[in-house]
Structure formats: C-alpha cells, structure tokens
Amino acid sequence: MGLFILAVLACVIGLALLLPLSDPQQRAQYGVKAYDRWSEVPSDTLLQKARVLGRSEEKIDTAVTLFTITANRYYEQGMKTADAMSAVKALNGLGCLFSLYYNENQIALGYFSEGLRLAEKYGFREQMVYICHNMGNSFTYSGDINSFQFYSRQAQDYYRQSFHYAVGIQSWEIALVEYSCLMGSILSEGNFSDAAKDIQYFKQLKWPGSIPGYSYANTLTEGTALMNKGRREAALVKFSLLPAYSHSSGIPHEQLFNECALIGLARLYHQMGDKEQLAACLHTMQKTAHDEMDVNLRLYALRYRYLLCKQSGDMAQANVVRVEYIQLNDSDFSRRRKLFDSQRGYYAQLDNISTLARTQHRGLKAKTVVALVLIALGLGLLCVALWRKRSARFSKSGKYVGSRLSSEKKEQLAIRIEDVLARKEIITDPDFTIRDLADHIDARYQYVSQVVNEVYGKNFKTLLTERRVMLACRMMDDCPAGEVLKIEFLAASVGFKSRSSFTMAFKKMMKVSPSEYQQQTAKRKQLHD
C-alpha cells in the first residue's frame, strides 16, 4: 500500500509541474520522448523493425519514427562514418514510406536526395543504386494524367543513373532490373531520342554468362532498336518473345519484366494501328494491376492508356479513360490524405527532432526534468509489480522459452510470411492453415507461429481473418455503382466457408455488417458521382 501511495504522489506532483507546458511549442518539445525511448536501441535493430512495421498502414507512424531516429543519429553524434550507412538506409526508407503510402512525393524526394548525397559522399554505391531506383519509381507512379510524359522522362534519368551505378559495382542482376525499368519508361513515353545511346551502352558491356534475365533484356534491346528504326514487324517478333523469356529464365522480378513487355507491345501495336491487339495489351495491364491490388500500377496503366488514345487521336476513348482515372485517383488520394492527416502533427515534430534533441538534452529546464523523472518513477513503481508478475507467469507457461530463433532469422521469416500473405490466391483458400504457411516458406511450424505472434501481436487465425475481411472491403469498394455483391459470393471469394462465419468476422472487425457496409459504400459513390 505504501508503495502505491508513493507512486501516485510522484505522478501527481510530476503532472502538476508539467501543467505550464501547454503551448504548442513546448508540447512539441515534450513529444520528443519517442526519440528517447528508442535512443539505446542499435541502428540495425531499428532498421529491421522499421522495415517490418512499414509493411502495414496501421504501424507506418512507428516505422517513420524509427527511420527518423536512425537517420538523426548521424547528425547528432558528430556525423561519423560508422553511422552514415544506417542513416542512408533510413533516409531511403523514409522516402519509400512517404511515396508509397502518402503520395507525398516532394517530402519523399527530399529524403531520397539527402540519402543520395550521403551515399555519394561516403561511396556507398550499392545504396546509390537502390535510392536512384526508388526515386525513379516515385516519378513513375506520381503526377496527374496530363503530365505522364514529363514524369516518365524524370524517371528515366534516375533509372539510367541506377543502371550505371549497378554496372559500376558489377551487380549484374540488379543492372538488368534497372535497365528494364529504363527501357519500360522510354517505351511508355514514346520518345526514343535517348534510347539509342542506352542500347549502345548495353551492347558494349561485357556481361558474364548465365545471368537470369539477360536473354530477356537482350531481346528487349533488339526489339526497341528495331522499333526505333521503324522496322515494326521485326520488332513485333522480338517483343512477342518477351513473356516466354520472363517465365522461363528464372527471373526474380517476373512481374516487373512482364509489365515492361506489355508496355512495349502496346507502344508497338499503337504505332502499327492495330487497335484490337492494343486494347488486349492495355486490358492485360489493368487486369494484372487489379489482381495484384496495386492502385499505383492501376493508375499508371490508365495514364499510359490515356496517352496512347490522345496520340492516336481517339479523344472519345481518351475522355472515357480520363473519367475512370479521376474516379480511382480521387478515391485513392482521399484515402492517402486521410492517413497522412491523421499523423501530420506528429510528423511535424519528427521533422524537427534533430534540432529538438540537441537542445533538449543540453538546455532542458530543471522543472521539466524533475517532472519527467517523477512521472517516470511513479509509473515505474506502479508497473514493476505487474511486470514481474506477468514475466513470471510468462516464464512459467514456457511459451517460446528456449527458442533458438535468432533476431535475424525472425526478421527474414517475417518478410517471407508477409510476401506469402500478400498473395490473393493464398488468403482466399478456405483450407489454408499456418502449417500450409510454414510449408510455403519452408520453415518449422513452431517458428512460424512464434513470428506471427510476436511480430503481428495476434494468432494466425485472427491475422488471416483480418486480411480476408479487408479484401472483401476492397471488393465492395471496387464494385461498380449500382451493383450489389451477394454476401454468399463475397464470403466464398475471400475464403470463408459460410455466410454466417463471414458476417460474424466482418462485423467484429468493421463494426457493421457486410450489407450495411455495402450500403454505405453505395451512398458514398452516389455522393461522389
């Protein structure tokens, strides 16, 4: 009882001392405690955790925090070479998060540019490849429908840099990926003025034998060169071989190469005036993007389709595509903006965290320090008994005690698990179990169960149910206005064995039934229209 009274008294006094800290500037300075909480964690651990958390929209703010802390260490600790590599990786990660989740490309490019500057300063050439590639992606999937060519041209510059950097470090497989991205960007823009130089450079390189994807890239090069010379029939023969090469040569980036092949074929059919084959190529691009549930790729396919319609003079079809693009883009933009606005104030604090951290530790008022110490002491006293009791109970249960799973192996398994769960055909299999997941990633069932519980904070059944419910929501969101999806169809499509189990799980997660959610979605579409 005495310990409890002492803890409460310490917290009350500490809170009373903090009452003057009510203006926004002082609250922002107090908000830097998130930095202090992670200050003793090694940078490599922070990077690994941030990469895992960055795969989930619900935990992106924590991922941004960890990346920011890692990057700031370089500046706070005297800009040491030992901290530079982690800072570069963290800046690259921040750029990817703000580009991928928020579509805040100006903020993303700021992080990318600073990361590239540090990588060039310290000679981290492999990181230069990755950053330039991500900057190219940022331009590829940004911009409005009328600026497609401009942004494609900007993307080409960065893909070209990443290609040359990869060749410089003799990372040949990555070089083929960057070269294919470059060619795809050139083909989508339709301006072949610089392609000849890139093709000549590619042919002059002494490529080692047996590189996965070389046959694909070489055929792509030959087809693009023939197209540039106006030999369209011969180019068609080359481009028609690309899908087969991408499937049979063991390429680790098959989807990217397929996308590039479709872009080239669409451009070629456009030049040949074959509207039927052109429509088939564009339809395949959009279907692939829809199947992969990749909104960025769907928007990219629509921008490319709009450009081809305009260049061919088919303004009626161009306007149809434009309307479809605007509807999808507005919906996606609203979602991203809502997600960003929910954390805007917090990110403003993180943006100034480096300056705040330097001043906070040197000139913090004694009153604030005493208040924080008292609150920490009080909360610590309250929590220590509960923590010891929980730890004892946890140890007694024996769960994961003595596990041989290292942190590095756990990180690798988490990434592989997420890759499998990102596949639609996996999560919609009603008979899919955690043992099937373990078989997919060739890992022990016990380790997979441990990683799922510790990384996601829930058991596998709950995790799989949540993924299926979110997929059902996307299906209803994507349903054309006026159409109503049957609940039985939705349940079967996302992997539930019965309507009742689907309805129960959906209502538990979304707080409304599937029918109510569908009605709300229909009303939103009517208001939008």
Side-chain angles (χ1 to χ4, degrees):
M1 178 63 78
L3 186 63
F4 175 77
I5 294 175
L6 183 62
V8 172
L9 184 63
C11 289
V12 170
I13 295 175
L15 289 172
L17 290 174
L18 279 178
L19 284 178
L21 299 177
S22 58
D23 64 276
Q25 183 178 2
Q26 289 176 317
R27 281 203 306 270
Q29 290 182 342
Y30 177 55
V32 84
K33 66 181 182 180
Y35 170 86
D36 298 328
R37 186 178 61 175
W38 297 97
S39 61
E40 301 301 323
V41 180
S43 295
D44 289 344
T45 303
L46 290 180
L47 288 173
Q48 291 175 1
K49 190 172 184 64
R51 291 189 188 108
V52 174
L53 294 175
R55 295 174 179 270
S56 169
E57 283 190 359
E58 291 78 11
K59 298 180 180 179
I60 185 176
D61 56 327
T62 306
V64 170
T65 302
L66 301 187
F67 277 138
T68 302
I69 293 169
T70 305
N72 283 337
R73 283 179 178 172
Y74 167 76
Y75 304 100
E76 295 169 350
Q77 299 179 10
M79 295 185 287
K80 300 175 183 177
T81 305
D83 298 316
M85 175 61 83
S86 295
V88 169
K89 292 179 178 179
L91 290 165
N92 189 23
L94 285 167
C96 290
L97 290 180
F98 277 93
S99 175
L100 174 64
Y101 284 105
Y102 299 133
N103 205 22
E104 291 288 338
N105 291 301
Q106 290 301 319
I107 297 177
L109 289 173
Y111 287 122
F112 285 139
S113 298
E114 178 63 8
L116 186 60
R117 184 187 71 81
L118 292 181
E120 290 174 340
K121 177 179 178 181
Y122 291 98
F124 301 148
R125 293 191 292 176
E126 185 175 1
Q127 294 302 315
M128 290 159 66
V129 174
Y130 299 142
I131 293 174
C132 285
H133 174 83
N134 290 329
M135 293 177 83
N137 284 349
S138 181
F139 278 107
T140 296
Y141 297 113
S142 65
D144 57 45
I145 196 168
N146 294 309
S147 58
F148 179 73
Q149 286 181 291
F150 169 77
Y151 281 95
S152 292
R153 201 171 298 118
Q154 298 296 316
Q156 289 170 35
D157 293 337
Y158 289 110
Y159 286 141
R160 188 173 289 111
Q161 286 186 48
S162 60
F163 171 50
H164 285 271
Y165 287 144
V167 171
I169 61 175
Q170 297 186 351
S171 182
W172 299 109
E173 289 188 26
I174 296 178
L176 288 176
V177 173
E178 304 307 321
Y179 178 74
S180 297
C181 289
L182 171 60
M183 287 293 104
S185 186
I186 289 174
L187 288 166
S188 62
E189 183 202 356
N191 183 358
F192 296 91
S193 58
D194 294 330
K197 295 179 182 178
D198 296 315
I199 290 172
Q200 183 181 6
Y201 180 71
F202 176 87
K203 290 182 176 180
Q204 288 176 347
L205 292 173
K206 296 181 179 179
W207 295 90
S210 303
I211 302 177
Y214 175 77
S215 298
Y216 173 95
N218 189 51
T219 305
L220 174 65
T221 299
E222 293 173 351
T224 305
L226 290 169
M227 190 188 302
N228 192 23
K229 295 176 182 178
R231 298 176 58 187
R232 295 168 183 168
E233 296 294 340
L236 180 59
V237 174
K238 295 293 183 181
F239 276 101
S240 299
L241 296 173
L242 293 180
Y245 277 128
S246 66
H247 286 295
S248 63
S249 56
I251 298 176
H253 300 275
E254 179 182 321
Q255 180 183 341
L256 184 150
F257 288 136
N258 283 336
E259 179 187 338
C260 183
L262 289 170
I263 289 171
L265 282 169
R267 172 63 61 184
L268 189 55
Y269 287 130
H270 167 69
Q271 292 184 353
M272 298 172 69
D274 192 335
K275 294 184 179 181
E276 182 177 346
Q277 291 295 336
L278 172 60
C281 280
L282 295 174
H283 175 74
T284 303
M285 285 182 64
Q286 289 183 271
K287 184 178 184 303
T288 301
H290 188 275
D291 291 344
E292 295 292 334
M293 295 180 289
D294 190 335
V295 177
N296 283 329
L297 186 56
R298 290 174 64 188
L299 291 170
Y300 175 84
L302 287 171
R303 286 197 294 266
Y304 183 41
R305 184 179 173 189
Y306 176 77
L307 174 65
L308 293 180
C309 289
K310 282 186 62 178
Q311 290 178 343
S312 62
D314 189 354
M315 296 309 299
Q317 184 62 29
N319 288 331
V320 173
V321 175
R322 186 172 183 273
V323 170
E324 183 180 353
Y325 172 86
I326 290 173
Q327 291 176 345
L328 178 60
N329 187 57
D330 287 351
S331 173
D332 182 59
F333 179 81
S334 298
R335 181 185 65 81
R336 293 172 187 262
R337 178 53 52 190
K338 183 178 180 181
L339 184 63
F340 181 70
D341 286 345
S342 67
Q343 298 293 341
R344 184 185 294 273
Y346 179 61
Y347 291 158
Q349 292 177 345
L350 289 181
D351 190 46
N352 297 316
I353 194 172
S354 184
T355 302
L356 290 172
R358 286 194 293 269
T359 59
Q360 191 84 349
H361 293 291
R362 296 171 187 161
L364 193 64
K365 295 180 180 179
K367 186 178 180 180
T368 306
V369 174
V370 172
L372 294 178
V373 169
L374 286 173
I375 291 175
L377 178 62
L379 293 177
L381 291 173
L382 286 173
C383 293
V384 66
L386 294 175
W387 177 256
R388 288 178 177 176
K389 184 178 179 180
R390 178 182 179 277
S391 299
R393 185 170 62 252
F394 185 81
S395 298
K396 186 177 179 180
S397 68
K399 191 174 185 181
Y400 306 139
V401 173
S403 173
R404 298 181 181 180
L405 191 62
S406 65
S407 298
E408 181 180 358
K409 183 66 175 177
K410 190 185 301 180
E411 166 69 13
Q412 294 173 355
L413 284 178
I415 293 174
R416 287 158 60 189
I417 289 170
E418 186 60 36
D419 288 341
V420 172
L421 294 180
R423 292 161 54 187
K424 180 180 177 181
E425 68 273 14
I426 293 294
I427 64 173
T428 56
D429 180 358
D431 298 318
F432 190 73
T433 66
I434 191 171
R435 295 188 182 276
D436 296 324
L437 175 61
D439 292 339
H440 269 276
I441 64 174
D442 194 23
R444 293 178 60 182
Y445 157 76
Q446 293 85 351
Y447 288 165
V448 174
S449 177
Q450 178 181 346
V451 172
V452 168
N453 277 273
E454 292 182 352
V455 173
Y456 294 95
K458 60 194 71 173
N459 60 40
F460 176 77
K461 183 178 180 180
T462 302
L463 176 63
L464 188 60
T465 299
E466 290 179 356
R467 295 295 178 94
R468 288 170 172 171
V469 169
M470 293 308 298
L471 178 58
C473 290
R474 285 194 292 270
M475 290 177 65
M476 288 185 278
D477 292 339
D478 293 340
C479 181
E483 287 190 22
V484 178
L485 298 177
K486 292 185 176 180
I487 305 304
E488 292 83 359
F489 170 76
L490 276 172
S493 298
V494 299
F496 286 89
K497 292 185 177 181
S498 67
R499 170 175 176 159
S500 60
S501 62
F502 169 63
T503 303
M504 185 181 302
F506 192 97
K507 193 166 185 178
K508 180 179 180 181
M509 180 174 174
M510 304 303 295
K511 309 304 180 186
V512 294
S513 68
S515 299
E516 292 170 335
Y517 182 90
Q518 201 160 193
Q519 292 172 2
Q520 294 172 4
T521 302
K523 291 179 181 179
R524 288 197 300 269
K525 291 178 180 177
Q526 290 176 356
L527 292 174
H528 181 74
D529 292 337

